[in-house]
Amino acid sequence: MGSLTRFVITRIALLIPMIWLLVTIVFFLLRVLPGANPALVMNPKLTNEQVELISESLGLERPLIEQYFDFLIKTITFDLGVSYRTNIDIATELGLAFGPTLMLSVFGVLIGVPLGIVMGGVAGAHRERYLDHIIRLFTIGIYSIPIFLVGIFMQMFFSYFIPDIFRGNPTIYAILKEIFPPVSLMDAGNTGEFNHYTEIWLIDTILSFRLDLTLDLLTHLLMPSLALGMLIAGVIARQVRTNMIYHLEQEYVHFARARGIPENVVKYRYALKNSVVPTIGLISLQFALLLAGAILTETTFNIPGLGRFLFQSLQEKDFPAVQGVMVLFVIIVSIVSVIGDVLYALLDPRITY
Amino acid sequence: MTSSILSSARKTQSNDRYYNKALLEIKNLIVEYPVKEGNVRAIDDVSLTLYRGEVLGLVGESGCGKSSLGFTILKLLKGGVIRSGEISFNDINLVTIPEGEMQLLRGPELSMIFQASQNALNPLQKVLNHFIDTLKTHYRWNDESWQKILELLNRLEIPESRLEDYPFQFSGGMQQRIVIALTLILNPKLIIADEPTTALDVLVQARLLEILKEIIKEYDLTVLYITHDLGIVAEITNRVAIMYAGQILEIGDTQTIFQNAAHPYTRALIEAIPNVKDEEKKLLSFIPGHPPDLRNPPLICCFADRCSYSQDICHSKKPQSINLNFENGVQHKVKCFIYDDRYGHLFDQK
Ligand SMILES: Nc1ncnc2c1ncn2[C@@H]1O[C@H](COP(=O)(O)OP(=O)(O)OP(=O)(O)O)[C@@H](O)[C@H]1O
Ligand SMILES: [Mg+2]
């Protein structure tokens, strides 16, 4: 496995130029694109003096190249500037917002990936039959309905419609309201009740021995994770189904049957494994799409994560904050693509490295 | 060359060893693939008996239904439907048997060596695990299982050290050996070998054929050997069935077929074998025309359009199977009006 170690190290080493390239693109895009120029898009409510002050603090009158190197050096030291909107160091803001997004993404993936694999596998194995049609209807729906609408429907249904049915029974009503809170990550006032060691609240509440708060957090995460999970499941299921149909026609499947290997093993161990492995590459490639999904989900459910932070910063034309989030996204997407590549190489012996 | 002549001589002598106990009996089998424009009749009224311990060649042009027949016997038709007929294997009716029971027969009772292809092995599975899965499906795993695997690897000249490799790391010839070993590991009573050597180069093919021949003899296997290569038929089979447009036009002892072919199509096929030494036959002869469309075939002789002997009768009726008698006593059947007592006179003028 010496060559694998070498592959992993090379891939990680390549991360640095990759991130550098992407960060450079972000920098120039934000300055060159019409409408993206910070001098032009600054909050219209600011007075001229204020605009000048900000321009000066950003060094916007200096030559672009000079600004660029300044930006690079500051980025390396995690100095991303100060947010106009909150007046807080952007690196600190991102540190706070990272935890909720991480939790949401992890739960979304934990729900979406297995669900997508199972749905795609079953649909492919039942091609053009009843189950296939149902699953395809679902995946097409997920594709065509924007995820924030899915979120809003879920809120309406689980947080209001279902509890309202049980309005006559106060206990059930209260429990349902407790399980399906419509917004935010915790009930009001709870966020100050535990020690913020890591800002990943799931870990923090457990470390603070406040499992009641962990439970509160999990109930708040349930619906947004489901919404994001559905999006992920839809994307994966489509791909797995297509691969499954291809693999079930392959000679090795028929030859396995000719040796009496049971149908379930042939379909769900041989063909499905062959169908899932290449989707790992797809998942890491489409990770940007999932981030977009997370942004919309956070906004719908008012979760204080990176997505909501980006959304609010955009609304307020908080230029350094937007740039900071983009830089962080670039780093995340790059790291995920490396993890995807390494996983793929581990699972598919035909990948040479 | 001499060795192959000798071996065919031996075969003729030991003929009576075969042809008494049937292992597989197919009667009036019709198989169709439903398609948009109707039905493709891939197997058209085929009757065939396979006797214990024999190698029966199944020869025919591409698309005549050879693989379909193999898949039908295994009940692994991709999209095809058995319209009528019987397949009895060891007195079990395979046409009506439930799929659950059929799955248990596949492997240890009847199995198939696939048409040589790079895709017959699971790309994500190590070769060793192919063997383990196959054995564990049907037997409890024990020390003997290991011995069995090693013995077969040895017989097929597959290096044991490569068991941990993945299929893509093997050459085509080696993959085909692995496919054969995977089929033999369960000791099937009946093996359908679907062109197991066709995709390989001549030398690899020759060696593999040699090994196959030894194994068939040693393990006393019953084999339906599908090929379109008459050279291989001469090498390895006891009897041969000539298939055309989904039908068996002639079936009989291999030597008799080569020396005394009855059906005009069989004769044309044998004529078409290129012979390097024979000056006159250096030019490849071929049969003019092409096989008929298998969609909704008319009830006439399927070879009539291409046959140089054909008369009006051939274009108006479907010939029935006729028994011919040759001195070696092996059953010989042909589907041609020339040999039909009622119509034979129509061809006399020719
Ligand atoms: N799944 C299918 N659907 C429709 N028609 C099919 C299907 N499989 C085979 N056929 C048709 O059935 C006929 C017989 O095909 P088959 O594969 O059995 O021929 P073959 O004799 O094995 O040919 P080859 O020597 O090329 O392997 C062909 O005309 C083919 O087009
Ligand atoms: Mg074939």
PDB file of all heavy atoms in Angstrom, chain A residues 17 34 52 63 103 120 136 138 143-144 156 168-169 217 231 235 249 257-258 268 296 300-301 306 314 327:
ATOM      1  N   PRO A  17      -1.906  24.291  -4.201  1.00  0.00           N
ATOM      2  CA  PRO A  17      -2.085  25.066  -5.439  1.00  0.00           C
ATOM      3  C   PRO A  17      -3.539  25.167  -5.875  1.00  0.00           C
ATOM      4  O   PRO A  17      -3.977  26.198  -6.398  1.00  0.00           O
ATOM      5  CB  PRO A  17      -1.267  24.289  -6.472  1.00  0.00           C
ATOM      6  CG  PRO A  17      -0.917  22.996  -5.853  1.00  0.00           C
ATOM      7  CD  PRO A  17      -0.964  23.174  -4.376  1.00  0.00           C
ATOM      8  N   PRO A  34     -19.001  42.912 -13.205  1.00  0.00           N
ATOM      9  CA  PRO A  34     -19.843  44.080 -13.006  1.00  0.00           C
ATOM     10  C   PRO A  34     -20.888  43.753 -11.952  1.00  0.00           C
ATOM     11  O   PRO A  34     -21.426  42.656 -11.913  1.00  0.00           O
ATOM     12  CB  PRO A  34     -20.496  44.300 -14.373  1.00  0.00           C
ATOM     13  CG  PRO A  34     -20.340  43.002 -15.094  1.00  0.00           C
ATOM     14  CD  PRO A  34     -19.122  42.349 -14.551  1.00  0.00           C
ATOM     15  N   GLU A  52     -15.928  56.099   1.397  1.00  0.00           N
ATOM     16  CA  GLU A  52     -14.499  56.353   1.230  1.00  0.00           C
ATOM     17  C   GLU A  52     -13.673  55.692   2.325  1.00  0.00           C
ATOM     18  O   GLU A  52     -12.624  55.103   2.088  1.00  0.00           O
ATOM     19  CB  GLU A  52     -14.231  57.862   1.227  1.00  0.00           C
ATOM     20  CG  GLU A  52     -13.801  58.361  -0.140  1.00  0.00           C
ATOM     21  CD  GLU A  52     -13.928  59.854  -0.240  1.00  0.00           C
ATOM     22  OE1 GLU A  52     -13.317  60.543   0.607  1.00  0.00           O
ATOM     23  OE2 GLU A  52     -14.667  60.324  -1.134  1.00  0.00           O
ATOM     24  N   PRO A  63      -3.358  49.640  -6.511  1.00  0.00           N
ATOM     25  CA  PRO A  63      -3.380  48.770  -7.695  1.00  0.00           C
ATOM     26  C   PRO A  63      -3.858  47.368  -7.323  1.00  0.00           C
ATOM     27  O   PRO A  63      -3.583  46.895  -6.212  1.00  0.00           O
ATOM     28  CB  PRO A  63      -1.924  48.741  -8.150  1.00  0.00           C
ATOM     29  CG  PRO A  63      -1.247  49.868  -7.458  1.00  0.00           C
ATOM     30  CD  PRO A  63      -2.030  50.213  -6.251  1.00  0.00           C
ATOM     31  N   MET A 103     -22.992  20.370  11.229  1.00  0.00           N
ATOM     32  CA  MET A 103     -23.974  19.416  11.762  1.00  0.00           C
ATOM     33  C   MET A 103     -25.059  19.128  10.740  1.00  0.00           C
ATOM     34  O   MET A 103     -25.431  17.977  10.515  1.00  0.00           O
ATOM     35  CB  MET A 103     -24.590  19.973  13.046  1.00  0.00           C
ATOM     36  CG  MET A 103     -23.643  19.939  14.227  1.00  0.00           C
ATOM     37  SD  MET A 103     -24.446  20.346  15.783  1.00  0.00           S
ATOM     38  CE  MET A 103     -24.801  22.071  15.563  1.00  0.00           C
ATOM     39  N   GLY A 120     -32.003   4.180  -5.323  1.00  0.00           N
ATOM     40  CA  GLY A 120     -31.454   3.955  -6.659  1.00  0.00           C
ATOM     41  C   GLY A 120     -31.312   2.475  -6.961  1.00  0.00           C
ATOM     42  O   GLY A 120     -31.637   2.016  -8.055  1.00  0.00           O
ATOM     43  N   ARG A 136     -38.852   7.021  -9.013  1.00  0.00           N
ATOM     44  CA  ARG A 136     -38.493   8.027 -10.013  1.00  0.00           C
ATOM     45  C   ARG A 136     -39.323   9.292  -9.875  1.00  0.00           C
ATOM     46  O   ARG A 136     -38.819  10.400 -10.037  1.00  0.00           O
ATOM     47  CB  ARG A 136     -38.637   7.455 -11.412  1.00  0.00           C
ATOM     48  CG  ARG A 136     -37.283   7.012 -11.944  1.00  0.00           C
ATOM     49  CD  ARG A 136     -37.452   6.091 -13.083  1.00  0.00           C
ATOM     50  NE  ARG A 136     -37.688   6.779 -14.336  1.00  0.00           N
ATOM     51  CZ  ARG A 136     -38.196   6.173 -15.399  1.00  0.00           C
ATOM     52  NH1 ARG A 136     -38.543   4.914 -15.329  1.00  0.00           N
ATOM     53  NH2 ARG A 136     -38.357   6.821 -16.510  1.00  0.00           N
ATOM     54  N   PHE A 138     -40.419  10.425  -7.149  1.00  0.00           N
ATOM     55  CA  PHE A 138     -39.820  11.127  -6.021  1.00  0.00           C
ATOM     56  C   PHE A 138     -38.561  11.886  -6.453  1.00  0.00           C
ATOM     57  O   PHE A 138     -38.416  13.077  -6.164  1.00  0.00           O
ATOM     58  CB  PHE A 138     -39.477  10.118  -4.914  1.00  0.00           C
ATOM     59  CG  PHE A 138     -38.675  10.720  -3.792  1.00  0.00           C
ATOM     60  CD1 PHE A 138     -39.282  11.450  -2.789  1.00  0.00           C
ATOM     61  CD2 PHE A 138     -37.291  10.558  -3.755  1.00  0.00           C
ATOM     62  CE1 PHE A 138     -38.540  12.014  -1.770  1.00  0.00           C
ATOM     63  CE2 PHE A 138     -36.539  11.123  -2.736  1.00  0.00           C
ATOM     64  CZ  PHE A 138     -37.162  11.854  -1.741  1.00  0.00           C
ATOM     65  N   TYR A 143     -35.822  16.949  -7.805  1.00  0.00           N
ATOM     66  CA  TYR A 143     -35.034  17.723  -8.747  1.00  0.00           C
ATOM     67  C   TYR A 143     -35.718  19.021  -9.144  1.00  0.00           C
ATOM     68  O   TYR A 143     -35.080  20.039  -9.342  1.00  0.00           O
ATOM     69  CB  TYR A 143     -34.779  16.884 -10.010  1.00  0.00           C
ATOM     70  CG  TYR A 143     -33.338  16.725 -10.330  1.00  0.00           C
ATOM     71  CD1 TYR A 143     -32.513  16.022  -9.455  1.00  0.00           C
ATOM     72  CD2 TYR A 143     -32.780  17.265 -11.479  1.00  0.00           C
ATOM     73  CE1 TYR A 143     -31.180  15.850  -9.726  1.00  0.00           C
ATOM     74  CE2 TYR A 143     -31.426  17.098 -11.755  1.00  0.00           C
ATOM     75  CZ  TYR A 143     -30.646  16.388 -10.877  1.00  0.00           C
ATOM     76  OH  TYR A 143     -29.326  16.222 -11.135  1.00  0.00           O
ATOM     77  N   SER A 144     -37.041  18.947  -9.273  1.00  0.00           N
ATOM     78  CA  SER A 144     -37.731  20.100  -9.847  1.00  0.00           C
ATOM     79  C   SER A 144     -38.305  21.049  -8.794  1.00  0.00           C
ATOM     80  O   SER A 144     -38.516  22.218  -9.080  1.00  0.00           O
ATOM     81  CB  SER A 144     -38.830  19.625 -10.805  1.00  0.00           C
ATOM     82  OG  SER A 144     -39.478  18.503 -10.276  1.00  0.00           O
ATOM     83  N   MET A 156     -44.819  23.590   7.375  1.00  0.00           N
ATOM     84  CA  MET A 156     -46.268  23.714   7.423  1.00  0.00           C
ATOM     85  C   MET A 156     -46.899  22.417   7.906  1.00  0.00           C
ATOM     86  O   MET A 156     -47.767  22.408   8.765  1.00  0.00           O
ATOM     87  CB  MET A 156     -46.820  24.046   6.031  1.00  0.00           C
ATOM     88  CG  MET A 156     -46.795  25.529   5.718  1.00  0.00           C
ATOM     89  SD  MET A 156     -47.025  25.854   3.963  1.00  0.00           S
ATOM     90  CE  MET A 156     -48.451  24.875   3.600  1.00  0.00           C
ATOM     91  N   GLY A 168     -57.070  19.137  20.423  1.00  0.00           N
ATOM     92  CA  GLY A 168     -57.936  18.731  21.527  1.00  0.00           C
ATOM     93  C   GLY A 168     -57.166  18.053  22.656  1.00  0.00           C
ATOM     94  O   GLY A 168     -57.603  18.029  23.800  1.00  0.00           O
ATOM     95  N   ASN A 169     -56.027  17.460  22.336  1.00  0.00           N
ATOM     96  CA  ASN A 169     -55.266  16.720  23.343  1.00  0.00           C
ATOM     97  C   ASN A 169     -53.966  17.463  23.643  1.00  0.00           C
ATOM     98  O   ASN A 169     -52.991  17.345  22.907  1.00  0.00           O
ATOM     99  CB  ASN A 169     -54.966  15.319  22.797  1.00  0.00           C
ATOM    100  CG  ASN A 169     -54.324  14.427  23.838  1.00  0.00           C
ATOM    101  OD1 ASN A 169     -53.648  14.921  24.754  1.00  0.00           O
ATOM    102  ND2 ASN A 169     -54.541  13.135  23.711  1.00  0.00           N
ATOM    103  N   LEU A 217     -31.434  20.116  20.516  1.00  0.00           N
ATOM    104  CA  LEU A 217     -30.699  20.395  19.282  1.00  0.00           C
ATOM    105  C   LEU A 217     -31.091  19.409  18.177  1.00  0.00           C
ATOM    106  O   LEU A 217     -31.371  19.791  17.041  1.00  0.00           O
ATOM    107  CB  LEU A 217     -29.197  20.299  19.562  1.00  0.00           C
ATOM    108  CG  LEU A 217     -28.269  20.493  18.379  1.00  0.00           C
ATOM    109  CD1 LEU A 217     -28.239  21.957  17.973  1.00  0.00           C
ATOM    110  CD2 LEU A 217     -26.854  20.027  18.721  1.00  0.00           C
ATOM    111  N   LEU A 231     -32.701  16.049  -0.783  1.00  0.00           N
ATOM    112  CA  LEU A 231     -32.013  16.576  -1.964  1.00  0.00           C
ATOM    113  C   LEU A 231     -30.852  15.660  -2.335  1.00  0.00           C
ATOM    114  O   LEU A 231     -30.704  15.244  -3.494  1.00  0.00           O
ATOM    115  CB  LEU A 231     -31.502  17.987  -1.670  1.00  0.00           C
ATOM    116  CG  LEU A 231     -30.664  18.618  -2.778  1.00  0.00           C
ATOM    117  CD1 LEU A 231     -31.557  19.103  -3.903  1.00  0.00           C
ATOM    118  CD2 LEU A 231     -29.823  19.776  -2.246  1.00  0.00           C
ATOM    119  N   VAL A 235     -30.385  13.167  -5.783  1.00  0.00           N
ATOM    120  CA  VAL A 235     -29.241  13.218  -6.709  1.00  0.00           C
ATOM    121  C   VAL A 235     -28.583  11.845  -6.811  1.00  0.00           C
ATOM    122  O   VAL A 235     -28.301  11.346  -7.905  1.00  0.00           O
ATOM    123  CB  VAL A 235     -28.211  14.270  -6.215  1.00  0.00           C
ATOM    124  CG1 VAL A 235     -26.960  14.219  -7.064  1.00  0.00           C
ATOM    125  CG2 VAL A 235     -28.818  15.656  -6.232  1.00  0.00           C
ATOM    126  N   GLU A 249     -27.078  -5.455 -16.817  1.00  0.00           N
ATOM    127  CA  GLU A 249     -27.000  -6.023 -18.168  1.00  0.00           C
ATOM    128  C   GLU A 249     -25.632  -6.646 -18.418  1.00  0.00           C
ATOM    129  O   GLU A 249     -25.399  -7.222 -19.471  1.00  0.00           O
ATOM    130  CB  GLU A 249     -27.211  -4.924 -19.219  1.00  0.00           C
ATOM    131  CG  GLU A 249     -28.483  -4.145 -19.064  1.00  0.00           C
ATOM    132  CD  GLU A 249     -29.557  -4.667 -19.970  1.00  0.00           C
ATOM    133  OE1 GLU A 249     -29.394  -4.567 -21.199  1.00  0.00           O
ATOM    134  OE2 GLU A 249     -30.558  -5.190 -19.442  1.00  0.00           O
ATOM    135  N   ARG A 257     -25.329 -15.530 -11.964  1.00  0.00           N
ATOM    136  CA  ARG A 257     -26.595 -16.273 -11.884  1.00  0.00           C
ATOM    137  C   ARG A 257     -26.409 -17.701 -12.368  1.00  0.00           C
ATOM    138  O   ARG A 257     -26.973 -18.632 -11.807  1.00  0.00           O
ATOM    139  CB  ARG A 257     -27.661 -15.598 -12.747  1.00  0.00           C
ATOM    140  CG  ARG A 257     -28.156 -14.302 -12.160  1.00  0.00           C
ATOM    141  CD  ARG A 257     -29.319 -13.781 -12.989  1.00  0.00           C
ATOM    142  NE  ARG A 257     -29.777 -12.500 -12.464  1.00  0.00           N
ATOM    143  CZ  ARG A 257     -29.946 -11.414 -13.204  1.00  0.00           C
ATOM    144  NH1 ARG A 257     -29.742 -11.452 -14.504  1.00  0.00           N
ATOM    145  NH2 ARG A 257     -30.347 -10.298 -12.654  1.00  0.00           N
ATOM    146  N   ALA A 258     -25.589 -17.864 -13.424  1.00  0.00           N
ATOM    147  CA  ALA A 258     -25.387 -19.198 -13.983  1.00  0.00           C
ATOM    148  C   ALA A 258     -24.686 -20.109 -12.984  1.00  0.00           C
ATOM    149  O   ALA A 258     -24.752 -21.320 -13.095  1.00  0.00           O
ATOM    150  CB  ALA A 258     -24.579 -19.115 -15.279  1.00  0.00           C
ATOM    151  N   TYR A 268     -27.831  -6.901  -5.115  1.00  0.00           N
ATOM    152  CA  TYR A 268     -27.544  -5.908  -4.084  1.00  0.00           C
ATOM    153  C   TYR A 268     -26.122  -5.986  -3.532  1.00  0.00           C
ATOM    154  O   TYR A 268     -25.704  -5.120  -2.790  1.00  0.00           O
ATOM    155  CB  TYR A 268     -28.597  -5.986  -2.972  1.00  0.00           C
ATOM    156  CG  TYR A 268     -29.961  -5.645  -3.521  1.00  0.00           C
ATOM    157  CD1 TYR A 268     -30.980  -6.574  -3.581  1.00  0.00           C
ATOM    158  CD2 TYR A 268     -30.189  -4.371  -4.056  1.00  0.00           C
ATOM    159  CE1 TYR A 268     -32.218  -6.252  -4.122  1.00  0.00           C
ATOM    160  CE2 TYR A 268     -31.422  -4.045  -4.598  1.00  0.00           C
ATOM    161  CZ  TYR A 268     -32.426  -4.983  -4.639  1.00  0.00           C
ATOM    162  OH  TYR A 268     -33.634  -4.659  -5.190  1.00  0.00           O
ATOM    163  N   LEU A 296     -29.753  27.249   1.326  1.00  0.00           N
ATOM    164  CA  LEU A 296     -31.194  27.465   1.258  1.00  0.00           C
ATOM    165  C   LEU A 296     -31.895  26.871   2.473  1.00  0.00           C
ATOM    166  O   LEU A 296     -32.835  27.455   3.010  1.00  0.00           O
ATOM    167  CB  LEU A 296     -31.753  26.868  -0.036  1.00  0.00           C
ATOM    168  CG  LEU A 296     -31.337  27.627  -1.289  1.00  0.00           C
ATOM    169  CD1 LEU A 296     -31.725  26.860  -2.535  1.00  0.00           C
ATOM    170  CD2 LEU A 296     -31.976  29.010  -1.292  1.00  0.00           C
ATOM    171  N   THR A 300     -34.173  28.838   5.137  1.00  0.00           N
ATOM    172  CA  THR A 300     -35.563  28.465   5.392  1.00  0.00           C
ATOM    173  C   THR A 300     -35.800  28.223   6.878  1.00  0.00           C
ATOM    174  O   THR A 300     -36.805  28.645   7.437  1.00  0.00           O
ATOM    175  CB  THR A 300     -35.914  27.177   4.619  1.00  0.00           C
ATOM    176  OG1 THR A 300     -35.474  27.306   3.288  1.00  0.00           O
ATOM    177  CG2 THR A 300     -37.404  26.908   4.660  1.00  0.00           C
ATOM    178  N   PHE A 301     -34.880  27.509   7.505  1.00  0.00           N
ATOM    179  CA  PHE A 301     -35.097  27.118   8.898  1.00  0.00           C
ATOM    180  C   PHE A 301     -34.419  28.070   9.885  1.00  0.00           C
ATOM    181  O   PHE A 301     -34.366  27.780  11.064  1.00  0.00           O
ATOM    182  CB  PHE A 301     -34.593  25.688   9.115  1.00  0.00           C
ATOM    183  CG  PHE A 301     -35.465  24.648   8.458  1.00  0.00           C
ATOM    184  CD1 PHE A 301     -35.185  24.179   7.190  1.00  0.00           C
ATOM    185  CD2 PHE A 301     -36.581  24.156   9.119  1.00  0.00           C
ATOM    186  CE1 PHE A 301     -35.986  23.228   6.594  1.00  0.00           C
ATOM    187  CE2 PHE A 301     -37.388  23.199   8.533  1.00  0.00           C
ATOM    188  CZ  PHE A 301     -37.098  22.735   7.258  1.00  0.00           C
ATOM    189  N   LEU A 306     -23.231  28.890   7.998  1.00  0.00           N
ATOM    190  CA  LEU A 306     -22.518  29.630   6.962  1.00  0.00           C
ATOM    191  C   LEU A 306     -23.457  30.134   5.879  1.00  0.00           C
ATOM    192  O   LEU A 306     -23.305  31.237   5.360  1.00  0.00           O
ATOM    193  CB  LEU A 306     -21.471  28.727   6.315  1.00  0.00           C
ATOM    194  CG  LEU A 306     -20.277  28.339   7.178  1.00  0.00           C
ATOM    195  CD1 LEU A 306     -19.445  27.295   6.477  1.00  0.00           C
ATOM    196  CD2 LEU A 306     -19.456  29.575   7.494  1.00  0.00           C
ATOM    197  N   LEU A 314     -24.852  38.999   1.883  1.00  0.00           N
ATOM    198  CA  LEU A 314     -25.177  39.424   0.523  1.00  0.00           C
ATOM    199  C   LEU A 314     -26.258  40.494   0.550  1.00  0.00           C
ATOM    200  O   LEU A 314     -26.185  41.494  -0.158  1.00  0.00           O
ATOM    201  CB  LEU A 314     -25.651  38.232  -0.310  1.00  0.00           C
ATOM    202  CG  LEU A 314     -24.554  37.349  -0.900  1.00  0.00           C
ATOM    203  CD1 LEU A 314     -25.156  36.082  -1.492  1.00  0.00           C
ATOM    204  CD2 LEU A 314     -23.776  38.121  -1.958  1.00  0.00           C
ATOM    205  N   VAL A 327     -14.056  32.169   0.431  1.00  0.00           N
ATOM    206  CA  VAL A 327     -12.752  31.547   0.664  1.00  0.00           C
ATOM    207  C   VAL A 327     -12.921  30.259   1.453  1.00  0.00           C
ATOM    208  O   VAL A 327     -12.357  29.213   1.111  1.00  0.00           O
ATOM    209  CB  VAL A 327     -11.808  32.523   1.401  1.00  0.00           C
ATOM    210  CG1 VAL A 327     -10.579  31.787   1.919  1.00  0.00           C
ATOM    211  CG2 VAL A 327     -11.397  33.648   0.466  1.00  0.00           C
TER     212      VAL A 327
END
